[in-house]
């Protein structure tokens, strides 16, 4: 039976004997939790782990497209959709979208994520030509005259990715983890674009109904699925060092399943790649914190964001940029006080 090893991150300033850096970043670990299907977790000290695994868990993650991971990074969401769950229709018009992009970067965005198809639960697929028509003008304008941060294109479709990259997009963000359109891997390979592989099941239309029965152990199943998606991308020619993984909060997961993933999100450091988390304004925050209006879920989103940073997660995909930038900068100032 396979062992899954989760480093137990520490953000305390104490000089703990034997503590190792987690993914070369701001958190450290002295112990790990060994998880096995159907068995209780076992806690082991780092010296019980194999040298190869320790290398994977401790090595600094390679910089991707000019972004290094010695500090937490923020990806600002720019939805060019009339129907996104939290900000639908607000930024769909050209100049408004550009203003919003500039505001996100001035408030702290390291990367912009541009999307022309809502993937909220129940959303309908957008035809490729329409998705291209939504994203291309904004990408062209941002590439020509926008803030100088990488532009990520949130799409499941190889045709949209190809058009977006030609217009000036830098990264591809695929919420289907290469399940929707396997040709997307070749587009990433040929262009050299960094590729975010997110875990999801089914389609936005079917995923929530499937969640209840989809997993034997949600954490370990999502880990296996992301590992397999990374292998598919690498086999298609995408360099491993340009892949980012994301457990896909809310994509075919119930609230208890989302919480199981968030609680032990550090397990994904075992893949040896940067981790991205997109929990911003999602339904779970509304249900747990009692906030029906998605646009008012910034504080709950930042709460999850700080938890993720404490677990060594490298990139947060967020709507409320200023709130996250402030929260993270103060978290860091407390965790690593000036000498
Ligand atoms: N979530 C959404 C869209 N894209 N990409 C990644 N990598 N991770 C995520 O969690 C993720 C994502 C859904 O959120 P949003 O863009 O705000 O809404 P919508 O899909 O309705 O446009």
């Amino acid at each position: 039976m396979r062992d899954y090893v989760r480093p137990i991150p520490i953000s305390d300033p104490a000089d703990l004997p034997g503590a190792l850096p987690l993914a070369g970043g701001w958190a450290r670990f002295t112990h790990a939790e060994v998880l096995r299907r159907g068995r209780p977790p076992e806690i082991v000290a780092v010296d019980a782990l194999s040298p190869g695994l320790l290398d994977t868990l401790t090595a600094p993650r390679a910089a991707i497209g000019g972004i290094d991971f010695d500090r937490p990074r923020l990806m600002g969401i720019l939805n060019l959709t009339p129907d996104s769950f939290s900000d639908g229709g607000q930024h769909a018009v050209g100049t408004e979208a550009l203003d919003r992009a500039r505001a996100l970067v001035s408030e702290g965005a390291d990367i912009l994520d541009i999307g022309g198809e809502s993937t909220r639960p129940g959303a309908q697929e957008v035809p490729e030509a329409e998705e291209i028509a939504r994203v291309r003008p904004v990408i062209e304008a941002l590439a020509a005259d926008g803030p100088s941060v990488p532009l990520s294109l949130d799409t499941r479709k190889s045709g949209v990715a190809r058009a977006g990259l030609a217009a000036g997009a830098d990264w591809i963000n695929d919420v289907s983890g290469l399940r929707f359109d396997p040709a997307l891997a070749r587009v990433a390979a040929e262009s050299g674009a960094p590729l975010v592989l997110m875990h999801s099941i089914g389609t936005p239309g079917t995923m929530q109904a499937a969640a209840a029965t989809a997993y034997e152990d949600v954490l370990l199943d999502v880990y296996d699925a992301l590992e397999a998606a990374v292998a598919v991308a690498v086999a298609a020619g995408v360099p491993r060092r340009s892949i980012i993984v994301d457990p896909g909060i809310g994509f075919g997961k119930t609230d208890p399943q989302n919480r199981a993933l968030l609680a032990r999100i550090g397990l994904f450091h075992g893949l040896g790649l940067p981790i991205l988390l997109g929990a911003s304004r999602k339904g779970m925050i509304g249900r747990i914190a009692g906030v029906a209006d998605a646009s008012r879920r910034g504080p709950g989103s930042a709460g999850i964001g700080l938890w993720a940073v404490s677990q060594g997660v490298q990139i947060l995909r967020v709507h409320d940029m200023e709130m996250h930038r402030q929260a993270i900068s103060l978290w860091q100032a407390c965790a690593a006080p000036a000498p």
Side-chain angles (χ1 to χ4, degrees):
M1 191 187 309
R2 176 172 187 185
D3 287 356
Y4 299 81
V5 176
R6 181 182 73 90
I8 302 173
I10 305 165
S11 309
D12 195 278
D15 188 12
L16 289 167
L20 299 175
L22 178 55
W26 48 93
R28 294 169 300 148
F29 65 110
T30 56
H31 287 75
E33 198 178 41
V34 180
L35 306 168
R36 297 184 189 96
R37 289 180 186 275
R39 301 245 199 103
E42 185 190 342
I43 307 290
V44 300
V46 285
D47 49 18
L49 302 177
S50 74
L53 177 59
L54 280 178
D55 261 5
T56 303
L57 294 175
T58 58
R61 300 305 179 236
I64 293 190
I67 300 288
D68 57 37
F69 299 106
D70 54 354
R71 62 187 171 90
R73 296 295 187 164
L74 291 169
M75 173 184 260
I77 301 170
L78 191 60
N79 280 327
L80 307 175
T81 49
D83 57 343
S84 287
F85 77 94
S86 72
D87 57 359
Q90 284 178 29
H91 315 304
V93 189
T95 56
E96 262 182 57
L98 300 186
D99 289 349
R100 176 74 187 139
R102 290 197 183 93
L104 282 166
V105 173
S106 75
E107 290 172 8
D110 299 293
I111 308 145
L112 289 173
D113 191 39
I114 299 159
E117 178 184 57
S118 175
T119 45
R120 74 183 193 288
Q124 295 296 312
E125 189 181 332
V126 175
E128 181 172 303
E130 190 175 335
E131 196 180 332
I132 292 174
R134 289 178 183 177
V135 298
R136 182 155 54 194
V138 174
I139 293 172
E140 275 171 352
L142 285 173
D145 185 29
S148 61
V149 297
L151 304 176
S152 161
L153 175 54
D154 185 346
T155 188
R156 303 178 288 167
K157 306 187 185 89
S158 57
V160 178
R162 211 175 271 113
L165 292 168
D170 303 291
W171 296 23
I172 301 168
N173 172 22
D174 178 10
V175 299
S176 84
L178 299 177
R179 288 181 306 108
F180 184 80
D181 181 355
L184 192 57
R186 262 202 322 283
V187 177
E190 282 161 18
S191 64
L195 177 62
V196 180
L197 294 175
M198 196 200 80
H199 176 270
S200 56
I201 56 169
T203 63
T206 62
M207 63 191 182
Q208 286 314 103
T213 54
Y215 311 101
E216 180 188 282
D217 177 317
V218 68
L219 179 70
L220 306 185
D221 292 353
V222 170
Y223 186 93
D224 285 348
L226 281 177
E227 187 174 56
V230 170
V232 168
V234 169
V238 180
R240 206 183 153 82
R241 56 189 293 126
S242 51
I243 299 173
I244 294 159
V245 290
D246 178 343
I249 296 302
F251 279 80
K253 284 112 188 168
T254 62
D255 285 356
Q257 290 164 347
N258 287 321
R259 290 171 66 176
L261 289 167
L262 288 165
R264 291 186 162 82
I265 192 163
L267 178 70
F268 297 98
H269 290 300
L271 294 170
L273 299 169
I275 304 169
L276 186 151
L277 181 71
S280 182
R281 296 188 181 179
K282 285 189 176 167
M284 184 185 89
I285 299 169
R287 289 182 289 273
I288 292 176
V291 191
D293 178 353
S295 71
R296 302 193 58 193
R297 294 180 190 153
S301 308
I304 296 181
L306 291 186
W307 166 255
V309 167
S310 77
Q311 303 297 302
V313 168
Q314 289 92 349
I315 308 176
L316 303 179
R317 180 183 181 276
V318 307
H319 300 85
D320 303 282
M321 187 55 64
E322 177 67 16
M323 196 169 316
H324 283 82
R325 186 192 62 74
Q326 285 196 25
I328 291 170
S329 63
L330 271 294
W331 184 94
Q332 287 181 293
C334 297

